[in-house]
Amino acid sequence: MLIAVPVDDKSMKSKVCVSFGRAPYFLIYDTDSGSTDFITNPAAMSQGGAGIKAAQTVVDSQAKVLLTPRCGENAAQVVAAAGIKMFKTVNDSIQDNIDAYKGSGLSPLEDFHPGFHGQGGQ
Amino acid sequence: MKIAVLSGKGGTGKTLVSVNLAALAGDAAYIDCDVEEPNGHLFFKPADVVTEEITVKIPAVDQGLCNGCRECVEFCKFNALAYVDQRLMIFEEVCHSCGGCILLCPLRALTERDQPIGVIERGFSEDVRVMTGMLNTGEASGIPIIKKLLADVPAGLTFIDCPPGSACTVMESVRDSDYCILVAEPTIFGAHNLALVHELAQLFGKPHGVVLNKCLEGPNPSEQYCQAKGIKILARIDYEQELGVLNSEGLVAIRESDRYRALFASLLEAVREEVQHETALDPQR
């Protein structure tokens, strides 16, 4: 099964990104094989609606679980529509959070922040 | 002749200045473009108000026709669309009503529908035409209402009460104006905010002057800014209890007090002179 995590760089030694929608990369981690894949988040520099596009990327990755420190309302709707389960990360270490998830040590993410839409452009 | 009244922050006296100038000018129009919190109507209390609903175009999808090609999802610059689990999701508050998704859809699964975002109220207060834009709570952008407000400005003298700050709603309000009145408070913060709208007026190439409001004894950082930048000071309004009381009671100062009538009359005269001067300098205007 695949797990998605927003990360700062294309390395397991990198950190969990503080932002979901604007994260530069997503780690796609395979719990069966332990293999890792880093995909670029095309929404990182979006003018608006970054969370929606980032969520679309995660959905398309076939991940079934998302580990993230926070998530906006719109992104959460997209992720939920795909049946992806969301869990709240406990620190900024990628490995710690994957280990915690495997040990059922993460809580479901349930508080979603409002978006920042319409703050720029026309 | 369109006079825009703006300031870098709220509460400096944009409404005070624009309401009183419009009330004084005779056969003038007052347009409240501060659509998130319009308040000029509280002073004018216009009669014979006609309300027009303002809508924007939002896509609606026929899920039965959509085959998930995602052309619309890829196209949308604002990411208002997502395709998940064989269904197209539309995020209305993110949509900017460009209509691109509808044009692109190869299966014509997307159609337009009207989404109300607010109203424009048009009425009269004595001989002043009062037009007020009101954005519904929670809507992201007041731009469509401002565009509509300024699309049919009557001939004659018009005062545009702008939103505070220097964001796109202010640019939209100022774009077609002939002159900008910048209202500033006598604080360091006030001078900083004055600089923001001053830069905006310069960027748009608009002739402009400053009203120093809430003037107190002692140094006035906004006045110092005007002197340093060579900006015309149109009027000084003292920080007075009488004016504060009139405002708090929702009264138009020039209709209540001869002293304020005289003060705003000299401001109006100064603005007229400035505009004539600008027209003489640039006959294209």
Side-chain angles (χ1 to χ4, degrees), chain B residues 258-272:
Chain B
D258 289 340
R259 200 161 61 82
Y260 289 124
R261 176 170 280 272
L263 192 155
F264 281 99
S266 71
L267 169 58
L268 184 60
E269 191 49 40
V271 171
R272 280 198 166 121

Side-chain angles (χ1 to χ4, degrees), chain B residues 54-133:
Chain B
I54 305 300
T55 60
V56 291
K57 302 287 186 193
I58 295 287
V61 63
D62 182 336
Q63 301 284 2
L65 291 178
C66 176
N67 71 347
C69 75
R70 295 204 196 191
E71 284 219 26
C72 57
V73 175
E74 301 299 327
F75 170 78
C76 184
K77 197 166 110 187
F78 298 97
N79 303 315
L81 301 155
Y83 188 78
V84 178
D85 194 24
Q86 321 258 327
R87 287 182 72 81
L88 185 68
M89 299 175 78
I90 299 171
F91 291 87
E92 291 169 2
E93 75 281 12
V94 180
C95 174
H96 282 56
S97 305
C98 76
C101 56
I102 295 163
L103 283 174
L104 276 176
C105 181
L107 294 172
R108 299 184 186 279
L110 289 166
T111 48
E112 263 181 4
R113 73 174 179 81
D114 286 326
Q115 165 99 337
I117 60 160
V119 297
I120 291 176
E121 291 186 354
R122 294 181 176 85
F124 282 88
S125 174
E126 296 181 8
D127 61 350
V128 182
R129 282 187 66 163
V130 179
M131 284 170 261
T132 306

Side-chain angles (χ1 to χ4, degrees), chain B residues 17-38:
Chain B
V17 168
S18 45
V19 163
N20 280 282
L21 288 180
L24 191 70
D27 196 25
Y30 165 85
I31 304 183
D32 203 339
C33 286
D34 189 4
V35 298
E36 288 179 36
E37 43 240 340

Side-chain angles (χ1 to χ4, degrees), chain A residues 43 46-50 52-53 56 59-60 73-75 77-78 81-83 117-122, chain B residues 70 73-74 76-85 89 91 93-94 96 140-141 143-144 147 168 172:
Chain A
S46 274
Q47 197 168 347
I52 296 166
K53 190 166 186 170
Q56 178 83 64
V59 169
D60 295 344
E73 285 168 350
N74 290 337
Q77 274 190 48
V78 174
H117 349 107
Q119 299 299 307
Q122 192 306 89
Chain B
R70 295 204 196 191
V73 175
E74 301 299 327
C76 184
K77 197 166 110 187
F78 298 97
N79 303 315
L81 301 155
Y83 188 78
V84 178
D85 194 24
M89 299 175 78
F91 291 87
E93 75 281 12
V94 180
H96 282 56
S141 172
I143 298 267
K147 279 195 163 137
C168 44
E172 194 65 41

Side-chain angles (χ1 to χ4, degrees), chain B residues 118-193:
Chain B
V119 297
I120 291 176
E121 291 186 354
R122 294 181 176 85
F124 282 88
S125 174
E126 296 181 8
D127 61 350
V128 182
R129 282 187 66 163
V130 179
M131 284 170 261
T132 306
M134 297 175 167
L135 182 69
N136 291 344
T137 306
E139 288 297 335
S141 172
I143 298 267
I145 297 180
I146 296 172
K147 279 195 163 137
K148 188 86 187 188
L149 273 169
L150 298 178
D152 52 353
V153 174
L157 205 48
T158 297
F159 294 91
I160 301 167
D161 195 353
C162 296
S166 52
C168 44
T169 49
V170 181
M171 296 187 217
E172 194 65 41
S173 306
V174 165
R175 207 160 65 177
D176 295 328
S177 66
D178 300 293
Y179 190 81
C180 291
I181 299 176
L182 318 177
V183 188
E185 284 179 357
T187 60
I188 293 168
F189 184 48
H192 172 77
N193 290 303

